[in-house]
Amino acid sequence: MVSSVTNLGRSGVYDWLIQRVTAYVLALYTIFLLGFALTTDVNYDSWSALFGQTWFRIFSLLALLSLGAHAWVGLWTVTTDYIKATLPRFLVQAACGLAMFVYVAWGVQILWGL
């Protein structure tokens, strides 16, 4: 079994579970947004009203965190499978982790105005 400090779930079963749960969250979020766009006249006022509701901000935050976790597990798997040398793999994983951290922090700032 591959054991690494850079994987999120610390084992293949947990990584698999993280992928599945986050995929469901992202699918629900996408379906909701598509339904909203198809059934509502989307303009600034309706969009602002949607994002002004606390439950939707929490749902968006959950989707944002799910996207980060889903992407990390996927990128960790790909880099572990295809980049065999330790230093280049670590550098790619560090760059991906830093980018995901920045995107999640930026998303939280956009959602909550922090």
Side-chain angles (χ1 to χ4, degrees), residues 19-33 59-60 62-71:
Q19 284 291 90
R20 296 313 169 264
V21 170
T22 57
Y24 283 121
V25 170
L26 293 171
L28 288 172
Y29 190 75
T30 302
I31 290 168
F32 177 83
L33 284 181
F59 189 29
S60 296
L62 180 62
L64 181 65
L65 295 174
S66 293
L67 181 63
H70 193 89

Side-chain angles (χ1 to χ4, degrees), residues 36 42-53 56-57:
F36 179 79
V42 180
N43 55 31
Y44 177 79
D45 292 330
S46 64
W47 199 246
S48 180
L50 178 64
F51 275 91
Q53 298 180 35
F56 189 72
R57 282 184 171 184

Side-chain angles (χ1 to χ4, degrees), residues 31-93:
I31 290 168
F32 177 83
L33 284 181
L34 283 173
F36 179 79
L38 293 174
T39 60
T40 307
D41 179 31
V42 180
N43 55 31
Y44 177 79
D45 292 330
S46 64
W47 199 246
S48 180
L50 178 64
F51 275 91
Q53 298 180 35
T54 303
W55 71 268
F56 189 72
R57 282 184 171 184
I58 293 170
F59 189 29
S60 296
L61 180 62
L62 180 62
L64 181 65
L65 295 174
S66 293
L67 181 63
H70 193 89
W72 177 253
V73 171
L75 287 170
W76 179 85
T77 302
V78 169
T79 56
T80 302
D81 286 347
Y82 292 105
I83 304 175
K84 297 299 180 187
T86 304
L87 182 62
R89 181 176 64 234
F90 174 77
L91 292 175
V92 170
Q93 289 176 347

